[in-house]
Amino acid sequence: HGEKLKAGEQALLQFLSGETQHFGVDFRGPAHWRIGQIFQHQQRFELARQAYETALDYNPRLKSAKADLKALDKIIKNQG
């Protein structure tokens, strides 16, 4: 499981280092959201938060990133 997450992280980071617009659509927001999900699953919460916030910087209407950021805040709050 961990190897697949690491491979997914590497693939998304490689994607973000290249052309992120395809057919006029900018995929940086969704890519950062997916990286955030990977980080959250790995319990790398601060990196997850940064990725979700970056996703929302690129696309403030990205509902999935908003929901995941809200859920992450609850997880962090319950741990503290």
Side-chain angles (χ1 to χ4, degrees):
H1 208 78
E3 290 176 19
K4 289 184 180 181
L5 291 173
K6 187 66 176 169
E9 175 187 344
Q10 290 174 346
L12 286 165
L13 291 172
Q14 182 177 3
F15 168 77
L16 286 167
S17 70
E19 178 59 45
T20 57
Q21 285 198 359
H22 301 281
F23 306 107
V25 177
D26 187 342
F27 288 97
R28 288 177 292 188
H32 282 283
W33 165 60
R34 289 295 190 184
I35 291 173
Q37 289 182 312
I38 290 171
F39 288 152
Q40 184 171 339
H41 190 76
Q42 295 170 329
Q43 297 186 1
R44 296 162 68 187
F45 296 135
E46 188 54 40
L47 290 174
R49 166 181 277 291
Q50 290 172 8
Y52 292 147
E53 289 174 347
T54 300
L56 291 169
D57 286 343
Y58 284 114
N59 184 348
R61 297 177 298 181
L62 194 58
K63 292 179 184 178
S64 348
K66 285 181 187 179
D68 285 348
L69 180 58
K70 186 175 181 178
L72 177 63
D73 284 340
K74 286 183 182 181
I75 290 170
I76 292 170
K77 184 177 179 181
N78 289 334
Q79 285 187 341

